[in-house]
Amino acid sequence: MSYKTIVGLEIHSELMTESKVFCDCKVEFGGDSNTNCCPICLGLPGTLPVLNKRVLEFGIRAGLAFNCNIAKETKMDRKNYFYPDLVKGYQISQYDMPLCEKGYVEIDTEEGTKKVRLIRIHIEEDTGKSIHSNDGGSLLDYNRSGVPLIEIVTEPDINSGEEAQAFLENLKSILKYIEVSDCKMEEGSLRCDVNVNVIDEDKDIKTTVTEVKNLNSFKAVAKAIDYETNRHIALLKAGKDAIRETRRWDDMKNETIVMRVKEGVADYRYFPEPDIVGMEIEDNWIKEIRDNLPELPHIKKDRFVSEYDIPVYDAKVLTATKALADFYEETVKYSKDPKQVSNWIMGDVLRRVKDEDIDIEDLRFTAKDLADLINLINEGKISNNIGKKVLRTMFEEGKDPNTVVKEKGLIQINDEDELNKIVDEVLDKNPQSIEDYNNGKDRALGFLVGQVMKATRGKANPQMVNKMLREKMS
Ligand SMILES: [Zn+2]
């Protein structure tokens, strides 16, 4: 039997504008409760919302980056529903005339590149936050009320948890490149809801769509989709259908749990927001925004491959974020060895960045420092292994490599006479190893090289030592 999973995503992304969408209150994460809100945020009687033009600009920027059509005319609508964190009793959103339509995001799959189509991107305001205390009480923080959002809705083009994860990673990367959102899931600035159902392709029947809400990581999205796929297949096998319901992912139990059963489509009684008149978007403005879009990650990736002659894999890793790509290019500028730079960044640098859970922007040394380190190795002034040690000191103390090498006396010993003396001493002390080597035990050579390195505290030129030992023992 053959089953196909069908997934559509709805992504909410908070925009990094300085002020909120309808008032001058600051957009900022954290801060004391209810310190970043005003009568407009709270929709008090007599207040009038004024649309922040930057929000439209950010929405258009996202639309262009995702290949959407930008509306010539658009409007805001009221979405009416009651919830404690929505103090006005309605949310200002967009209904039938969204800012951006169509568009797509490309992902790499085993079968090649796949386009995940977007239905729309619209702008709206965020709600406040309910904080439930241990004693059963609820507190409300309206700092988030009126923070601008874009909602991105996909066609059901995604067919697995893995594809959903790849899609979200590309989407996040682009949103960060164009600097419209910081996409911090842990701070709620990127949120994802998932709609899943399964088709039994032999019988041509499909299950009712289940919605999984409030997923807090891309991994959780992938796991929830895989879990729902299996649940829907089990239902199909039993001749049953899924119920129209909203579920949530439980990270501890590794399963989805029912939140509420949906009773038909909620009636939000949408109507045009009377306090904000219709908006016309001028072609000139769209063109100006398009002209100022930065180079997007997939284009940068292709350019890295052709300009620096590095493998596609390297280019993909290095262009994952704009900051990392900038750091790579800056390092190459000073070192002129693009592949070597890629190896150091993808290896020791990123490993440490990940271990310390920091961003590349937070490094205590500069791109030029890294280039200097690589140059020291290429010029034979320090060995690769010493280079790794120097990098560790650069991470910890933020010193440049020349200073570290000088302070710790790490310059490589390339002097033949000096090395000769040490190699002879090591050979004198290890007659058994010479015999082993001559009996074909290659490990003995490694041991002897190690002894020389130890005697020089890692400073001997390992290639030279290797060659000398072989010559002396033959
Ligand atoms: Zn306000």
Side-chain angles (χ1 to χ4, degrees), residues 38-67:
C38 71
I40 297 177
C41 294
L42 303 177
L44 297 186
T47 59
L48 274 180
V50 177
L51 185 72
N52 177 351
K53 197 180 169 194
R54 293 284 274 177
V55 172
L56 273 182
E57 183 194 325
F58 278 33
I60 294 170
R61 216 191 281 175
L64 292 173
F66 294 125
N67 318 290

Side-chain angles (χ1 to χ4, degrees), residues 20 23-25 37-38 40-41:
K20 291 186 179 179
C23 63
D24 291 332
C25 291
C37 54
C38 71
I40 297 177
C41 294

Side-chain angles (χ1 to χ4, degrees), residues 302-310 329 338:
D302 293 345
R303 178 170 68 79
F304 275 21
V305 171
S306 60
E307 188 172 339
Y308 300 119
D309 196 24
I310 53 173
E329 290 206 279

